[in-house]
């Protein structure tokens, strides 16, 4: 049980994880069409290697992400092999894949925490706005902003742990 | 120290971990941390996450999440189904080659070659003289998939059943019917989830005489017609509860 050898199992895995896999594929490939290709290839590879998946060892989600990671690398190589578009043009900065996966997970975790917490973390930390200014804008005491930062960070940790994060 | 104060210090630890406290407050929290093991432990549990925040892009956080096109799942399923049926044909070919010997073997190889060029097998064409047939049960509930490959033998008909999506442990009894409605049992198997859903069965009825194939699966019966004209039949099955 648990292996991904049946076509039906693939369907269940798809409905559980395709959204996340696609989100990360778009994030790392920067192209929705390529991301579709990557997700399709991921499930095909997962199905072909389905008897090697062991739920005792790791989660299905982690396994699918590991496959997608390889698919993204292969697609990236294929793209790099194509001729360069503009001569003398600036190569876009390429984020290393491991870092892209971490970054995407943090962004995804930020989307999953409560709106109040997300708002405050975005404004005070990412946009570096003073607590007093954000407090005035939201019409709450400054202390509330501080406690939302604290509980927001804790919620973020829980959301990341649900995605397999551990420190 | 009073519990109230301690709680206040704790609430500052998020901003502290993120490095967002003004210098004077930061110094005060640092002083408290010196003497409070509980707050030090709490800070450690926040520092890893706080450090990761540097990787994230606020604009991406606020952008609507990308979702895959609605038909992508169906496309993937179709691709896997095509791949699966190609692999089953490969497996049959290998199995029959291994067991081949003498005149029967020659007949089998002929049958296998015919299967290899069935429409849908990728190479297209041919097949009108092929004795092997593939039948798909089309009137089955959502999520259930039943198909069969029928092959003529001297003893009658060999039937390979492929079943998925029904309850694990269900007893499946397979039968063939001739054009006059007479039923010929082809044996039974128990469907197991996670195991191999293929079962190889046989019936005494000659394939040339078979007009219909059916499966009693638990309390339900599914049937599909067996066509004579073409090798690959997408049978219009009939299901009755
Ligand atoms: Zn303390």
């Amino acid at each position: 049980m648990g292996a991904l050898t049946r076509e039906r199992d693939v369907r269940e895995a798809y409905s559980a994880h395709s959204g996340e896999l696609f989100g990360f594929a778009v994030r790392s490939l920067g192209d929705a069409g390529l991301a579709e290709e990557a997700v399709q290839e991921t499930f095909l590879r997962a199905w072909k290697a389905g008897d090697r998946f062991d739920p005792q060892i790791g989660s299905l989600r982690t396994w699918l992400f590991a496959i997608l990671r390889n698919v993204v690398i292969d697609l990236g190589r294929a793209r790099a092999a194509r001729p360069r578009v503009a001569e003398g043009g600036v190569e876009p900065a390429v984020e290393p894949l491991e870092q892209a996966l971490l970054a995407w997970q943090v962004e995804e975790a930020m989307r999953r925490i409560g709106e109040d917490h997300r708002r405050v973390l975005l404004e005070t930390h990412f946009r570096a706005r003073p607590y007093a200014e954000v407090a005035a804008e939201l019409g709450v005491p400054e202390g509330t902003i501080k406690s939302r930062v604290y509980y927001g960070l804790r919620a973020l940790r829980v959301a990341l742990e649900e995605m397999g994060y551990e420190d | 120290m009073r519990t109230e104060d301690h709680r206040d210090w704790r609430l500052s630890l998020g901003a502290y971990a993120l490095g967002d406290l003004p210098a004077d407050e930061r110094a005060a929290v640092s002083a408290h941390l010196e003497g409070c093991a509980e707050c030090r432990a709490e800070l450690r549990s926040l520092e890893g996450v706080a450090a990761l925040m540097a990787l994230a892009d606020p604009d991406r956080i606020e952008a609507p999440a990308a979702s895959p096109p609605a038909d992508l799942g169906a496309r993937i399923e179709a691709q896997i189904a095509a791949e699966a049926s190609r692999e089953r044909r490969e497996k049959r070919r290998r199995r029959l080659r291994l067991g081949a010997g003498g005149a029967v073997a020659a007949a089998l190889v002929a049958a296998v070659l015919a299967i290899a060029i069935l429409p849908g097998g990728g190479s297209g064409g041919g097949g009108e003289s092929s004795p092997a047939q593939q039948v798909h049960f089309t009137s089955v509930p959502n999520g259930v998939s039943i198909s069969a490959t029928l092959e003529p033998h001297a003893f009658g008909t060999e039937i390979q059943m492929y079943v998925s999506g029904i309850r694990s442990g269900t007893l499946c009894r397979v039968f063939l019917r001739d054009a006059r409605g007479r039923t010929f049992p082809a044996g039974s198997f128990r469907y197991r989830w996670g195991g191999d859903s293929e079962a190889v069965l046989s019936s005494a009825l000659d394939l040339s005489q078979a007009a219909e194939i059916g499966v009693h699966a638990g309390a339900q019966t599914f049937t599909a017609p067996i066509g004579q004209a073409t090798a690959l039949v997408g049978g219009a099955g009939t299901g009755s509860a």
Side-chain angles (χ1 to χ4, degrees):
Chain A
M1 282 295 264
L4 201 74
T5 49
R6 304 266 75 87
E7 287 159 47
R8 180 200 167 106
D9 301 339
V10 174
R11 185 179 308 166
E12 283 170 3
Y14 182 86
S15 62
H17 301 294
S18 59
E20 279 187 286
L21 293 164
F22 185 75
F24 171 60
V26 171
R27 170 74 161 83
S28 55
L29 292 162
D31 180 288
L34 272 180
E36 259 178 58
E37 211 178 299
V39 171
Q40 182 158 4
E41 179 65 18
T42 297
F43 279 98
L44 190 67
R45 288 189 194 179
W47 171 76
K48 281 183 179 164
D51 53 352
R52 295 206 297 272
F53 168 65
D54 183 351
Q56 304 293 315
I57 291 172
S59 77
L60 178 59
R61 181 182 180 282
T62 306
W63 190 63
L64 289 170
F65 265 96
I67 297 173
L68 174 60
R69 187 187 157 280
N70 291 335
V71 171
V72 167
I73 289 171
D74 293 349
L75 283 173
R77 278 201 198 113
R79 194 160 47 163
R82 286 173 209 151
R84 298 277 150 78
V85 183
E87 240 173 83
V90 181
E91 277 290 294
V94 178
E95 196 176 23
L97 193 63
E98 295 309 327
Q99 192 170 318
L101 181 54
L102 267 176
W104 176 80
Q105 283 179 308
V106 178
E107 288 157 7
E108 180 66 18
M110 280 289 286
R111 282 191 284 266
R112 290 183 193 181
I113 65 176
E115 166 63 23
D116 283 352
H117 293 149
R118 178 170 52 248
R119 179 92 267 132
V120 163
L121 284 172
L122 275 169
E123 299 305 332
T124 64
H125 185 66
F126 288 101
R127 304 204 165 104
R129 294 174 61 196
Y131 282 27
E133 188 183 309
V134 177
E137 185 176 285
L138 296 178
V140 297
E142 208 178 315
T144 303
I145 300 297
K146 202 185 279 181
S147 79
R148 281 184 191 172
V149 167
Y150 170 71
Y151 288 111
L153 209 49
R154 287 181 61 125
L156 193 65
R157 187 192 159 95
V158 172
L160 280 166
E161 280 169 350
E162 277 165 9
M163 290 187 252
Y165 165 80
E166 39 191 73
D167 49 45
Chain B
M1 131 212 31
R2 287 185 17 250
T3 320
E4 297 292 300
D5 302 332
H6 179 68
R7 187 173 173 275
D8 286 348
W9 290 116
R10 258 175 101 89
L11 291 180
S12 297
L13 293 177
Y16 185 92
L18 289 166
D20 290 344
L21 279 182
D24 53 337
E25 276 189 64
R26 183 170 183 84
V29 174
S30 293
H32 173 76
L33 283 166
E34 289 281 322
C36 182
E38 211 180 311
C39 281
R40 283 202 300 275
E42 178 67 8
L43 178 64
R44 266 197 303 279
S45 83
L46 297 174
E47 276 172 338
V49 180
L52 285 177
M53 299 260 282
L55 297 171
D57 174 346
D59 295 335
R60 288 188 200 265
I61 293 167
E62 292 189 294
S67 52
D71 67 335
L72 183 58
R75 267 157 39 208
I76 291 172
E77 274 179 45
Q79 195 190 358
I80 286 176
E83 190 81 5
S85 84
R86 193 186 61 75
E87 276 182 15
R88 283 195 289 262
R89 282 195 295 274
E90 291 276 319
K91 196 153 74 179
R92 286 166 51 80
R93 181 157 44 200
R94 280 197 301 273
R95 185 165 57 80
L96 290 171
R97 272 198 191 135
L98 284 175
V104 177
L108 286 180
V109 169
V112 167
L113 288 176
I115 291 165
I117 55 165
L118 289 181
S123 45
E128 60 278 354
S129 62
S130 164
Q133 298 197 33
Q134 201 166 28
V135 178
H136 294 288
F137 288 64
T138 52
S139 290
V140 291
N142 234 354
V144 174
S145 163
I146 305 175
S147 63
T149 303
L150 304 158
E151 201 177 302
H153 282 265
F155 61 76
T157 304
E158 185 187 282
I159 303 164
Q160 271 196 302
M161 294 293 301
Y162 313 108
V163 176
S164 69
I166 62 176
R167 200 154 49 82
S168 187
T170 302
L171 177 66
C172 299
R173 286 177 296 127
V174 180
F175 59 87
L176 294 179
R177 273 198 191 114
D178 68 10
R180 290 159 63 190
R182 289 179 300 187
T183 300
F184 295 78
S188 62
F189 63 95
R190 216 171 263 288
Y191 173 66
R192 291 276 177 223
W193 245 66
D196 200 334
S197 71
E198 283 184 37
V200 182
L201 307 160
S202 54
S203 168
L205 183 64
D206 241 39
L207 181 53
S208 60
Q209 304 298 308
E212 190 178 54
I213 180 171
V215 187
H216 300 297
Q220 292 194 301
T221 299
F222 305 108
T223 61
I226 298 169
Q228 301 297 325
T230 58
L232 188 72
V233 179
T238 49
S240 54

